[in-house]
Amino acid sequence: MDTSEVRSKHRFDEVALDRYLSENVDEFPKTSSKLLVRQYNSGQSNPTFYLKKGDHEFVMRKKPPGNLLKGAHQVDREYGIQLALSKARFPVPKMVHLCQDASVIGQEFYIMEHVEGQIFRDIYSLQDVPIPERKNYYYAMIATLAKLHKINFHRVGLAGYGKIGGYRQRQINTWTKQYRGSNKQGNLPDIPDMEELIVWLNANIPSDPERTSIVHGDYRLDNMIFHPTKPKVVAVLDWELSTLGDPICDLAYTLIPYHWPVDVPSPFGNIDITDLQSFEGIPKEETLLKLYSEQAGVRFPLPHWDFYIALSFFKLAAIGQGILARYIMGNASAENSERYGEITKGLARAGLSLAKRSSMTPSVSTSLTSASEIIPVLSPQPLSEKARDTLQQVKDFIKNVVMPNETVFLQQHSEASTPWYNPPIMEEMKAKAKKQGLWNLFLPAESGFTQLEYAYMAEQMGWSPIASEVFNCSAPDTGNMEVLHLYGNDAQKEKWLRPLLDGTIRSCFGMTEPQVASSDATNMECTIKRDGNEYVINGRKWWTSGAGNPNCKFSIVMGKTGGEGTPRHKQHSMIIVPLDTPGVQKVRALRVFGNLDAPHGHFEIKFENVRVPVENLILGEGRGFEIAQGRLGPGRIHHCMRLIGLAERALEMACSRAFSRRAFRRHLAEMGVVQHQIAECRIAIEQARLLTLKAAHLIDLHGTKKARKEVAMIKIVAPRMACNVIDTAIQIHGGGGVSNDFPLAAFYAGARSLRIADGPDEVHLSQVALRELKEQMDKAKL
């Protein structure tokens, strides 16, 4: 372990720390044994300490002592982002405690778990790794970075963690300010190469639109812990510089060793560019760039690479100047801080040299809805390797397990004494899917897949009406799980979300009401009134899908909490209502084109003086529409892609029928009118798919709010397309098409219902038009 005694300038009251942790941290031992404190030798900014008491090990990060630059060393941000990322299943240490009371040990600090594993300080640390395996550690590093950049920061609660766009300019401004502030603080002279580099960077910022993602800011090999025996990243460390920004800045900073000048010593270990290029087993930079492009779903080669490398040199030089200034003032964290005078000048010189030989040319500016937004959708490989493998598994499972068991499902259901019966074959298939890891694929926090990646899987699930449930990816549970994941508190997640994710219960969603036009959700009349420690619900809901399922245990109900003086979109809230609560009455099952759609069904439910505890309210009073917006975006992607899969199956059936059926001495497939019908279906499916994939991609990039127009468009296009394709298949099947001998009539009923269930076309058309008019008006003002 790379530690030493606590250095004199970083000493603090260890007894006070021991006492504070014993009183405030549940995981901390309450014994009388002495607290062992050691300081890690690495770390140039926030000093880091190893803590051990009894058998328990922790790591502490704190602010350095002395006068600090404004905005630097924010340990609370480090703690907060790691807490959020851990919920998204990204490899970070478990956060234990944040202390913002500087009086405890002199500075703010936080405590995290101690993670066992391997840390490689430089390439020479890989000497003991077998040569064929060395590249795998670099691959794992890059794949983990791509995973970070694909996390939807809106969905993990980090929408306010930084600004959208303009990151490259802000980086130049930030590090210019830090560099000059360090000069002033340490009474250091300006560096001519640094000043010239500042001018060049400002003049050569690429003009193409920036992607925005979570960026680490200091992502490199020695800032991560690998599994003790495997090339797997188990924890990414040092999040002080993290924010929202251009992910390529992260990538360039990670690969800066490939451009390191031979005459500049490295503070991160002995980096020699010649060694890095020839060290056995280390992949070439181009290989890593291609891997990142594939994993992150971006085009290759990456444009403006020289600019990003020059910016990385500038950033490192500015950081180095800050460390040198702290060394002069006596509060630097690392023992080798005096080396930074030489390092900073060398990095500035390297960045300027790269800039001067750069062949970078100005890029053409494009709009939000232009090529830069759809290239990943049109790319030959828009999916990560993991997503491609999982997609193939889903395809194979549906082909080999689900489709052959459709008739078994229907037979078992028809033989039951009640329509509200779950055929045993469903649980058998679910168990197989879960065992193979094909489970909860729709939820990024569980699966790690983006909306774009899951969209392809949802299309495959659409081939069979029973497939999505097999993978625990069926509505309305998916929407309810998204609500609880995004907006539920810890108790709600434990009681309701966990069983849904495990597939042990089902749920329903109560929104639409029989008395009012629910296409305008502000019409809702169901009331949710607080009475002491309870809320009292009164009203009727209908088309509450899934309420007939015997495993359906609760409904998320949207109702009115605000009075007349409350703004229209702040009057409604969502609350969890267990279906066995007194006063909840299933009035009747509604039929869809005469079909009960069992065993799930669509029910009218009456809530009469239904009392539930106040802790069942989700997010807070008046937050219903806010929650609904977060719920509806991804869910519509799922619906539309499943409809596309359903349309593909209907078209396949139509073609099969056209090949096998003869009329007027010819096969139907030989008739021009049938050929034209099939061609129109293929064109419509392809158009709907591209638009839906674009909407999914925009949600991944910008969140549901920015993709509202595209989501509204697919709500119109996909159900219309599916209805037309299925209707064509019915027509080609003739009388058989409307019978129960083929599933087409049931397919049509489901597709036609979604033109209402997802909101009527007229509402979405108005939304699209209003947003288009606003965009055109804004464009005209420029």
Side-chain angles (χ1 to χ4, degrees):
M1 188 167 55
D2 187 20
T3 63
S4 61
E5 291 186 6
V6 178
R7 294 190 282 278
S8 58
K9 59 192 171 216
H10 291 293
R11 286 176 187 155
F12 54 86
D13 189 339
E14 296 178 10
V15 174
L17 176 65
D18 189 358
R19 182 170 57 250
Y20 175 85
L21 295 178
S22 297
E23 294 173 355
N24 293 278
V25 178
D26 292 339
E27 297 94 328
F28 195 78
K30 309 299 187 291
T31 65
S32 59
S33 59
K34 189 177 186 302
L35 174 66
L36 172 67
V37 181
R38 302 275 295 175
Q39 184 167 4
Y40 284 96
N41 295 325
S42 58
Q44 299 291 351
S45 184
N46 290 331
T48 309
F49 304 85
Y50 170 77
L51 310 179
K52 183 174 183 180
K53 187 165 186 179
D55 294 331
H56 292 73
E57 298 174 290
F58 303 92
V59 173
M60 179 178 78
R61 292 263 290 175
K62 75 177 186 69
K63 289 186 175 184
N67 296 323
L68 305 175
L69 290 174
K70 184 179 179 181
H73 312 287
Q74 298 180 62
V75 294
D76 56 327
R77 277 177 62 85
E78 282 190 46
Y79 180 87
I81 189 170
Q82 291 178 90
L83 194 64
L85 289 174
S86 65
K87 295 177 182 178
R89 304 291 179 90
F90 185 81
V92 290
K94 178 185 176 183
M95 295 296 102
V96 176
H97 185 74
L98 171 66
C99 177
Q100 295 182 283
D101 182 357
S103 68
V104 176
I105 61 170
Q107 294 88 26
E108 298 176 27
F109 66 91
Y110 69 91
I111 305 293
M112 55 185 163
E113 70 172 357
H114 178 265
V115 180
E116 292 288 346
Q118 306 177 83
I119 297 179
F120 302 106
R121 296 298 176 194
D122 50 48
I123 61 170
Y124 307 107
S125 303
L126 290 167
Q127 296 273 18
D128 295 332
V129 176
I131 291 173
E133 296 179 17
R134 291 174 183 171
K135 64 181 183 300
N136 295 327
Y137 287 89
Y138 275 77
Y139 294 162
M141 174 179 70
I142 295 300
T144 303
L145 182 63
K147 180 179 180 180
L148 173 68
H149 292 163
K150 290 170 69 177
I151 290 174
N152 187 321
F153 53 86
H154 295 275
R155 296 173 68 81
V156 297
L158 293 172
Y161 196 65
K163 297 179 180 179
I164 307 296
Y167 178 73
R168 295 173 291 209
Q169 181 66 73
R170 288 199 305 279
Q171 280 287 284
I172 298 169
N173 296 344
T174 295
W175 296 113
T176 299
K177 184 177 179 180
Q178 293 277 39
Y179 157 71
R180 290 186 173 145
S182 299
N183 287 351
K184 183 177 180 181
Q185 204 171 34
N187 196 26
L188 296 166
D190 290 342
I191 300 172
D193 286 343
M194 197 71 163
E195 298 298 326
E196 192 172 345
L197 182 56
I198 291 170
V199 174
W200 185 89
L201 288 169
N202 277 291
N204 288 276
I205 298 173
S207 58
D208 57 336
E210 289 184 19
R211 290 173 57 224
T212 298
S213 72
I214 301 168
V215 291
H216 181 276
D218 196 15
Y219 194 89
R220 57 179 194 260
L221 188 67
D222 61 322
N223 263 343
M224 58 195 67
I225 301 174
F226 289 88
H227 187 277
T229 60
K230 303 175 185 177
K232 176 184 178 182
V233 177
V234 294
V236 178
L237 309 174
D238 199 353
W239 292 85
E240 184 192 354
L241 300 179
S242 62
T243 185
L244 300 183
D246 184 343
I248 307 304
C249 290
D250 250 2
L251 180 63
Y253 187 86
T254 303
L255 300 182
I256 199 73
Y258 285 89
H259 303 267
W260 200 269
V262 294
D263 58 341
V264 177
S266 167
F268 313 125
N270 297 313
I271 294 178
D272 185 314
I273 183 64
T274 306
D275 282 353
L276 191 61
Q277 291 176 342
S278 61
F279 191 79
E280 288 186 283
I282 300 301
K284 301 297 184 184
E285 182 189 45
E286 183 182 13
T287 301
L288 297 180
L289 290 173
K290 287 180 178 178
L291 175 64
Y292 175 85
S293 298
E294 176 184 315
Q295 295 279 331
V298 298
R299 57 179 169 160
F300 179 84
L302 298 169
H304 315 306
W305 187 239
D306 284 348
F307 170 85
Y308 287 105
I309 295 295
L311 178 57
S312 296
F313 275 127
F314 174 67
K315 172 182 173 178
L316 278 169
I319 292 172
Q321 196 76 335
I323 295 169
L324 179 62
R326 289 200 298 277
Y327 168 74
I328 292 171
M329 294 185 294
N331 65 343
S333 300
E335 293 181 323
N336 61 349
S337 305
E338 73 281 358
R339 302 173 63 192
Y340 275 83
E342 180 184 356
I343 290 171
T344 302
K345 292 177 182 178
L347 294 177
R349 185 169 60 252
L352 183 61
S353 175
L354 181 69
K356 286 182 175 179
R357 71 170 184 262
S358 171
S359 59
M360 193 181 89
T361 55
S363 59
V364 179
S365 179
T366 53
S367 66
L368 181 66
T369 56
S370 64
S372 65
E373 297 295 335
I374 60 174
I375 282 172
V377 177
L378 298 174
S379 168
Q381 289 291 10
L383 307 183
S384 66
E385 183 178 356
K386 177 187 175 184
R388 292 199 302 274
D389 290 345
T390 303
L391 176 60
Q392 188 60 52
Q393 286 181 277
V394 170
K395 285 182 178 180
D396 293 342
F397 197 97
I398 292 171
K399 178 182 177 181
N400 300 324
V401 179
V402 178
M403 302 286 278
N405 280 315
E406 280 185 340
T407 54
V408 178
F409 180 91
L410 293 172
Q411 182 178 351
Q412 289 181 352
H413 185 262
S414 67
E415 293 173 351
S417 58
T418 171
W420 315 115
Y421 169 77
N422 280 326
I425 188 64
M426 175 56 72
E427 294 306 316
E428 293 175 24
M429 291 189 290
K430 288 167 74 171
K432 289 180 182 178
K434 194 172 186 179
K435 187 175 181 180
Q436 292 186 26
L438 303 176
W439 197 253
N440 295 328
L441 302 173
F442 73 96
L443 192 61
E446 290 289 316
S447 66
F449 297 128
T450 64
Q451 293 299 330
L452 177 61
E453 289 173 330
Y454 175 67
Y456 289 92
M457 301 171 201
E459 177 179 341
Q460 295 306 310
M461 294 176 198
W463 275 72
S464 172
I466 65 172
S468 60
E469 184 180 354
V470 171
F471 304 101
N472 209 40
C473 292
S474 58
D477 292 325
T478 49
N480 288 344
M481 285 189 268
E482 285 168 340
V483 165
L484 292 171
H485 170 71
L486 289 172
Y487 306 109
N489 58 40
D490 289 342
Q492 291 167 351
K493 290 177 180 178
E494 181 64 27
K495 186 171 183 179
W496 304 109
L497 176 59
R498 193 70 258 167
L500 281 176
L501 291 170
D502 291 340
T504 56
I505 66 172
R506 298 293 305 270
S507 64
C508 57
F509 186 67
M511 184 171 181
T512 309
E513 297 180 3
Q515 306 97 324
V516 297
S518 298
S519 55
D520 177 2
T522 61
N523 283 338
M524 275 186 288
E525 297 176 341
C526 177
T527 60
I528 304 173
K529 300 295 183 183
R530 182 159 185 169
D531 182 16
N533 292 325
E534 295 179 318
Y535 279 102
V536 182
I537 300 111
N538 280 285
R540 283 179 181 261
K541 298 289 181 180
W542 72 342
W543 296 109
T544 305
S545 300
N549 192 296
N551 289 333
C552 185
K553 301 303 181 185
F554 73 95
S555 176
I556 293 180
V557 178
M558 189 165 175
K560 197 169 185 177
T561 49
E564 292 302 321
T566 310
R568 289 177 67 209
H569 289 90
K570 297 289 185 181
Q571 292 183 5
H572 295 80
S573 306
M574 289 194 189
I575 195 165
I576 299 167
V577 180
L579 293 186
D580 60 359
T581 307
V584 177
Q585 178 188 351
K586 295 180 184 177
V587 177
R588 60 180 174 133
L590 297 127
R591 295 177 180 268
V592 181
F593 290 110
N595 193 323
L596 279 175
D597 201 12
H600 307 302
H602 312 275
F603 275 71
E604 179 177 350
I605 299 180
K606 181 180 179 181
F607 299 88
E608 186 172 8
N609 294 321
V610 175
R611 290 180 171 270
V612 297
V614 292
E615 53 264 30
N616 282 24
L617 194 73
I618 301 174
L619 195 60
E621 288 194 12
R623 310 291 291 273
F625 279 93
E626 177 184 345
I627 297 170
Q629 289 301 325
R631 182 185 193 274
L632 291 177
R636 298 300 78 81
I637 300 292
H638 308 165
H639 272 323
C640 292
M641 290 305 290
R642 284 196 295 265
L643 281 173
I644 290 165
L646 192 66
E648 286 282 12
R649 183 172 176 185
L651 180 57
E652 181 183 84
M653 291 176 64
C655 291
S656 177
R657 184 74 166 183
F659 281 127
S660 63
R661 204 72 166 176
R662 292 178 65 87
F664 305 104
R665 298 187 298 279
R666 287 189 299 167
H667 283 101
L668 299 182
E670 298 177 80
M671 298 180 178
V673 64
V674 174
Q675 293 172 357
H676 291 181
Q677 288 174 332
I678 289 171
E680 294 284 0
C681 289
R682 170 51 59 203
I683 292 168
I685 291 172
E686 296 298 331
Q687 289 173 331
R689 178 186 289 112
L690 279 175
L691 183 57
T692 308
L693 292 177
K694 180 187 176 186
H697 181 56
L698 287 175
I699 289 176
D700 287 332
L701 286 181
H702 306 295
T704 303
K705 187 174 181 180
K706 290 287 182 69
R708 282 181 185 173
K709 186 173 76 171
E710 284 72 18
V711 170
M713 286 192 284
I714 65 172
K715 287 179 182 180
I716 301 163
V717 168
R720 282 184 180 179
M721 174 278 299
C723 284
N724 290 337
V725 172
I726 297 167
D727 186 66
T728 297
I730 290 172
Q731 196 71 12
I732 291 174
H733 278 72
V738 295
S739 73
N740 286 337
D741 291 353
F742 298 93
L744 291 169
F747 289 178
Y748 185 85
R752 185 62 184 85
S753 299
L754 282 176
R755 286 188 62 192
I756 298 173
D758 276 351
D761 293 359
E762 292 76 13
V763 172
H764 302 315
L765 285 166
S766 295
Q767 290 178 349
V768 172
L770 290 172
R771 293 186 183 282
E772 183 67 23
L773 289 167
K774 184 180 183 303
E775 289 172 12
Q776 294 290 348
M777 188 180 299
D778 292 343
K779 190 188 299 184
K781 292 177 182 177
L782 296 178

